[in-house]
Amino acid sequence: MKTNIVPFGPVNIGGSKFAVIAGPCSIESEEQLLSTAKFVKDNGASILRGGVYKLRTSPKSFQGLGKSAFDLVKLAKQETNMPFISEVTDPRQISDLYDLVEIFQVGSRNMHNYELLKELGKTDKPILLKRGLAGLVKEWLLAADYITEQGNEKVVLCERGIRTFETTTRNTFDINAIAHVKQFTNFPVIADPSHGTGVKELVAPISMAAAAAGADGLILEVHPNPSTAKSDGHQALTFDDFKKVMTDLNKLLHVFDKTI
Ligand code: PEP
Ligand code: MN
């Protein structure tokens, strides 16, 4: 099937360009966000990620800076000129986030939040729809339909790993899902090997596997000092790790006539 091209700002997802979205799991400080944004941009990322509102398993864990991250995001965008993606966890955040993000991210825990999907379907911005942690591919595609039914066709799917009986890794990255979406749907698909594995050493090999299976891009968590990260430090790439993934990706993508 032919993949839709989802345009936003200067970047497209779904064409012969491979989109690399990178940045911290959570935005923590000006220094953390700006240094990461500049580094990932200088090394080929085209879209900046950063959690503002975080859906954490424990209510005692860091919940994100919320509105106090907005000025940091504006600064990072000004300094790097990168489009920005962040998760919207509640329909009441849509209007505030609208002016801050170029792409709305729907997190895994919200794939079944149909009211949120319907509201996002009324906007004109691209939506990165993550697969639910126990979502069937069929349910994920129906969730995408909730957005498109409202008139917003700019849906990009994101495989981020699913729960299986295996506990060696945080999740089991479902490479089949990438190939399935490419073969049988028109949606572009991005791979998230950070959450898909939960282990920073596995992010590089699974990035390559996803690119080889036809993914239209990656979303990668990067942190200047992962051991101090307020969320997902164990799966964050250091700057050096990120640079190495980008070098390897460039070599691999050549085979598929794609470029970053
Ligand atoms: C994230 O991208 O930081 C995130 C919370 O992802 P997921 O919804 O896939 O768990
Ligand atoms: Mn994360």
Side-chain angles (χ1 to χ4, degrees):
M1 276 218 166
K2 192 163 169 5
T3 301
N4 295 336
I5 301 206
V6 176
F8 55 98
V11 186
N12 292 330
I13 295 184
S16 60
K17 283 263 181 199
F18 188 84
V20 177
I21 307 172
C25 176
S26 298
I27 294 173
E28 298 167 7
S29 68
E30 181 176 325
E31 161 65 19
Q32 175 241 18
L33 182 63
L34 265 71
S35 62
T36 309
K38 285 178 190 160
F39 189 86
V40 298
K41 173 156 192 190
D42 289 349
N43 286 279
S46 52
I47 302 159
L48 178 65
R49 67 152 286 151
V52 171
Y53 298 104
K54 297 301 299 177
L55 286 181
R56 306 300 302 284
T57 305
S58 164
K60 292 192 168 46
S61 300
F62 177 63
Q63 303 285 308
L65 292 179
K67 275 197 180 169
S68 36
F70 282 26
D71 283 344
L72 307 182
V73 172
K74 287 179 196 156
L75 198 61
K77 288 173 69 174
Q78 249 166 38
E79 300 233 339
T80 61
N81 209 19
M82 290 175 96
F84 179 67
I85 177 169
S86 199
E87 182 171 349
V88 53
T89 63
D90 185 302
R92 289 168 294 186
Q93 296 158 358
I94 295 176
S95 57
D96 280 349
L97 281 174
Y98 188 85
D99 293 327
L100 200 71
V101 304
E102 277 63 44
I103 312 178
F104 284 111
Q105 177 174 324
V106 175
S108 192
R109 290 158 187 80
N110 264 327
M111 187 199 86
H112 295 285
N113 185 341
Y114 302 129
E115 292 307 321
L116 175 64
L117 301 180
K118 283 193 257 179
E119 286 306 310
L120 289 168
K122 294 177 193 158
T123 73
D124 58 0
K125 299 232 172 174
I127 314 293
L128 184 86
L129 177 64
K130 289 208 174 191
R131 181 174 176 188
L133 18 159
L136 300 177
V137 168
K138 194 161 75 178
E139 292 165 336
W140 188 27
L141 298 176
L142 288 168
D145 289 347
Y146 267 97
I147 300 169
T148 58
E149 287 266 310
Q150 298 295 320
N152 186 347
E153 301 279 336
K154 297 179 201 159
V155 175
V156 177
L157 298 174
C158 177
E159 163 61 33
R160 50 78 71 205
I162 47 171
R163 284 231 170 118
T164 66
F165 57 81
E166 180 56 71
T167 55
T168 305
T169 48
R170 182 181 184 186
N171 292 296
T172 299
F173 186 82
D174 183 5
I175 198 88
N176 295 3
I178 301 274
H180 179 90
V181 166
K182 294 303 293 182
Q183 292 297 322
F184 301 115
T185 86
N186 300 116
F187 295 114
V189 62
I190 295 281
D192 176 351
S194 303
H195 295 87
T197 64
V199 183
K200 83 161 192 137
E201 288 81 358
L202 304 188
V203 170
I206 301 307
S207 295
M208 302 309 137
D216 296 292
L218 296 173
I219 180 165
L220 297 171
E221 290 189 338
V222 180
H223 195 285
N225 184 2
S227 64
T228 66
K230 292 193 171 163
S231 60
D232 288 350
H234 42 276
Q235 66 194 35
L237 299 178
T238 62
F239 289 0
D240 283 351
D241 295 334
F242 178 72
K243 195 170 180 166
K244 169 94 174 46
V245 171
M246 295 302 276
T247 307
D248 290 352
L249 261 179
N250 270 309
K251 288 185 207 154
L252 176 74
L253 288 170
H254 204 65
V255 177
F256 300 101
D257 289 328
K258 285 189 185 176
T259 53
I260 292 181

